[in-house]
Amino acid sequence: QGLRHIIVKEPGQILKHDVAVLITHVPAGRLKPHILPYMKQLQDAGLRVVLVAAVDRPVEFTEEESATAHGIIVRDNTSYDFGAWQLVFQLYPDLFGANFLIITNDSVVPTLESDVFQGMISRVRTYPADIVGLTASHEYGWHIQSYFLGFKPKALSSLLFNDFIRNIEQIDDEDTAARIYEIPFSKRMQAGGLTIKAIYTSPVPVNPTFFGWKELIDQGFPFI
């Protein structure tokens, strides 16, 4: 389908560790300024980072960017984040058996306060749910927002999640992709017996990352 990918470093070494998949859009051939600091924060939290770059033109990585990522996948800019989810699991099928996996994207910018960021990762690791998000929104219906999700073994190995990944189709309209995949995802996982929770709360029902960010930061939310 026109996908292009490269993988750097040894895939087997990635899968022996907890993994973070960071999805970023690269429209101009270079990574956005916050991507390298974000990779470093994830790495400092004990995660091996797989960077997925959705590109509109050929991309160049700096030596430091390449050294920080343990895997790099370059793909055409199609299908939004969920197409990237599917490609990652196609290339790294052993991730279905991972002990801990984070999938996140570049729509949030992390704090440089390491203790705040590490505290969030620790909460996600230990929170008693199969899928852990950071915030929930009631826009178009209740759902855990997909810009940052932590997956535990019960979720990753479930037939329900495997079927979800396999059945992702190419959709090139952002609103349609959200309505078909992001918004129903939480309820589908719950209906199949998995627990999915958000660890930060907000009095704002619609997209608290936009409209309730002050309350989130007061709770230790490490992003803007």
Side-chain angles (χ1 to χ4, degrees):
Q1 299 180 358
L3 298 178
R4 299 165 290 165
H5 68 267
I6 58 172
I7 302 175
V8 298
K9 304 186 180 177
E10 304 87 349
Q13 293 300 314
I14 296 174
L15 301 176
K16 294 178 181 178
H17 299 264
D18 295 343
V19 177
V21 174
L22 173 54
I23 302 165
T24 183
H25 177 215
V26 188
R30 295 298 298 269
L31 294 182
K32 297 170 184 175
H34 70 285
I35 297 302
L36 180 59
Y38 195 3
M39 287 197 292
K40 288 181 176 180
Q41 289 279 39
L42 292 166
Q43 186 182 61
D44 289 345
L47 296 150
R48 295 294 176 97
V49 180
V50 176
L51 182 70
V52 183
V55 302
D56 297 321
R57 51 178 286 187
V59 59
E60 294 182 6
F61 301 100
T62 67
E63 184 176 340
E64 188 174 15
E65 291 164 351
S66 296
T68 302
H70 286 79
I72 298 178
I73 301 169
V74 179
R75 68 189 296 268
D76 292 333
N77 183 27
T78 60
S79 314
Y80 292 93
D81 279 7
F82 290 98
W85 287 29
Q86 186 180 64
L87 180 60
V88 167
F89 281 98
Q90 287 174 348
L91 295 175
Y92 298 111
D94 286 351
L95 286 177
F96 286 115
N99 182 61
F100 181 62
L101 172 68
I102 286 172
I103 301 179
T104 184
N105 66 32
D106 65 1
S107 65
V108 288
V109 178
T111 178
L112 295 179
E113 296 181 42
S114 181
D115 58 334
V116 175
F117 190 91
Q118 304 308 320
M120 177 273 294
I121 295 291
S122 179
R123 289 184 67 187
V124 173
R125 286 183 189 274
T126 59
Y127 199 84
D130 302 315
I131 303 171
V132 182
L134 300 188
T135 54
S137 174
H138 290 264
E139 189 172 11
Y140 304 120
W142 173 86
H143 61 283
I144 304 297
Q145 294 181 279
S146 65
Y147 63 87
F148 189 106
L149 292 172
F151 295 87
K152 311 292 180 64
K154 183 178 177 181
L156 291 168
S157 63
S158 69
L159 181 61
L160 178 67
F161 183 71
N162 278 246
D163 283 345
F164 177 85
I165 295 296
R166 280 199 302 268
N167 291 316
I168 292 171
E169 297 180 357
Q170 180 170 319
I171 296 175
D172 292 327
D173 177 77
E174 185 175 9
D175 188 64
T176 302
R179 289 176 181 270
I180 291 179
Y181 293 122
E182 180 182 30
I183 294 165
F185 178 75
S186 300
K187 290 184 177 180
R188 285 179 62 182
M189 296 301 108
Q190 284 185 330
L194 298 175
T195 54
I196 178 168
K197 302 287 184 180
I199 61 176
Y200 297 99
T201 60
S202 172
V204 180
V206 176
N207 200 344
T209 58
F210 282 174
F211 304 111
W213 58 270
K214 290 183 179 179
E215 292 85 355
L216 294 177
I217 288 176
D218 288 341
Q219 297 174 57
F221 187 73
F223 294 106
I224 58 171

